[in-house]
Amino acid sequence: MEEEKLKLPLELITKILEYTPNPFCTNHLLLCRGIYWSFLWKVYSQPELVSNNLYPDESNNFVPKNLKLLMKRKFQNMVKCLDLSRVVQSGKNSYMSKLLRRTSSSLEIFISSQSSFGAAPLVSIKSCFRLKVLDLRLVSESVNLAELFKSIQCLPELEQLCFPRSSVTCDEFDFQWPQKLWYLRLQGGITDFFAANVRFPETITCLEFAHCSHLTRTGLDDILSHIGINLTRLSITYPMPKIGDDGADRSFWFCPNLKSFFVDIAYISWELFSEELLVILKEYDRPLRSMTIESTGYMGMCEKLSPNDITIAVDEERLPCFERLGLSAMLGWDFKSDDMNDMISELDHHNIEVFKV
């Protein structure tokens, strides 16, 4: 009886194991059948799929080692997240399609690998009714945007969507966006014609642009003029070859409610912080709190914007809620210059943090 009193209950043992550095260690799971089954659903809710988990099949293609386990009926309702971003494979689209179909009843997050995502997986996505995150940013294969739109119309719970960077242009606009969508990353075959005709949902509060090789400043302005008022976070990153070297200058004008702004210096100039485009809002204080200015390191970029432009905007209280400024080490600015010291001193006076990224 004394020995029985010293034994911990199963619930407490599992709770202790959850806080260990490696809670799903095989040795822990083999302690007893009860512990094994209590952790099993957590192991399969987010399976670790990496390149080392792959093996060649009879056709010399590559499929996940635990693909068969995922397909077993008793496991298919456990999988909630499939993150294939670390998987480098050259397999068939049918494998990806089958994997999506077998996990469709429980899948909430899907992050695609660079390859093996085409027409068949797009059709299988339609059956993932609980999907909240669809991230296709790494996909390098050509994806038909029209088919992608048909698929996401069947996903009522979708909240975050990342377009593939190699998608083909789309001339169809008669589709329904998911009602809960709040995050959108635009990539690939987005054109000015598309930007002018598509009506993005007002629920979007976070918008990102990258790899839009067809989009010009006109298309960018069209999109921001439609939904900019709702945005709290905006990101315009390299490469965006056709928007010009000042294409993002009107971001603050179109998006007065931004709290976070991430931009490459290749697409802005000193006018971003000018009195005409960065105006003082009459109804409320501009809520911008964080801004990051990135750079690819190309020569001549440092002349487009100077620390004085930011210093003046802060000194004139056109950024009353500003808290953090991130500057790329590749900007080409002399971080020991008088202008930089003046900016840091002025920002510090307003309790604004300046840091390198």
Side-chain angles (χ1 to χ4, degrees), residues 115-127:
S115 61
S116 302
F117 192 92
L122 270 179
V123 174
S124 299
I125 283 289
K126 295 180 180 180
S127 60

Side-chain angles (χ1 to χ4, degrees), residues 212-282:
C212 296
S213 57
H214 304 287
L215 194 69
T216 69
R217 174 175 177 170
T218 300
L220 178 64
D221 286 352
D222 280 339
I223 295 175
L224 294 183
S225 64
H226 289 149
I227 62 172
I229 192 69
N230 303 315
L231 297 181
T232 59
R233 179 182 174 187
L234 176 64
S235 176
I236 304 175
T237 58
Y238 185 88
M240 296 282 291
K242 289 191 175 182
I243 67 172
D245 57 5
D246 59 353
D249 277 355
R250 295 167 64 84
S251 298
F252 291 144
W253 177 267
F254 288 123
C255 312
N257 296 313
L258 283 183
K259 295 182 179 179
S260 177
F261 186 34
F262 189 101
V263 66
D264 195 293
I265 196 171
Y267 312 123
I268 60 174
S269 69
W270 66 270
E271 293 191 11
L272 175 71
F273 294 96
S274 66
E275 293 184 63
E276 291 76 17
L277 298 180
L278 181 59
V279 299
I280 297 178
L281 302 179
K282 296 181 179 180

Side-chain angles (χ1 to χ4, degrees), residues 137-237:
R137 74 180 68 194
L138 296 179
V139 175
S140 59
E141 299 180 2
S142 296
V143 177
N144 190 318
L145 283 181
E147 295 300 321
L148 175 61
F149 289 132
K150 291 178 182 178
S151 296
I152 65 174
Q153 286 182 149
C154 303
L155 307 177
E157 302 297 321
L158 192 66
E159 298 178 1
Q160 302 182 44
L161 173 64
C162 298
F163 279 32
R165 62 186 177 186
S166 299
S167 58
V168 297
T169 57
C170 179
D171 296 328
E172 297 182 25
F173 315 108
D174 186 19
F175 57 86
Q176 188 71 31
W177 291 90
Q179 295 183 355
K180 296 183 179 181
L181 189 68
W182 62 268
Y183 170 89
L184 180 63
R185 181 179 175 90
L186 294 176
Q187 297 188 142
I190 305 300
T191 63
D192 290 350
F193 187 63
F194 179 89
N197 289 276
V198 171
R199 291 297 175 260
F200 295 94
E202 296 182 355
T203 55
I204 295 178
T205 58
C206 180
L207 182 62
E208 296 185 2
F209 293 90
H211 298 281
C212 296
S213 57
H214 304 287
L215 194 69
T216 69
R217 174 175 177 170
T218 300
L220 178 64
D221 286 352
D222 280 339
I223 295 175
L224 294 183
S225 64
H226 289 149
I227 62 172
I229 192 69
N230 303 315
L231 297 181
T232 59
R233 179 182 174 187
L234 176 64
S235 176
I236 304 175
T237 58

Side-chain angles (χ1 to χ4, degrees), residues 2-20:
E2 292 297 327
E3 292 182 358
E4 290 293 331
K5 291 181 180 180
L6 295 177
K7 291 182 179 179
L8 295 175
L10 178 62
E11 294 80 7
L12 187 55
I13 294 176
T14 56
K15 183 60 67 174
I16 293 173
L17 290 178
E18 285 182 4
Y19 288 97
T20 60

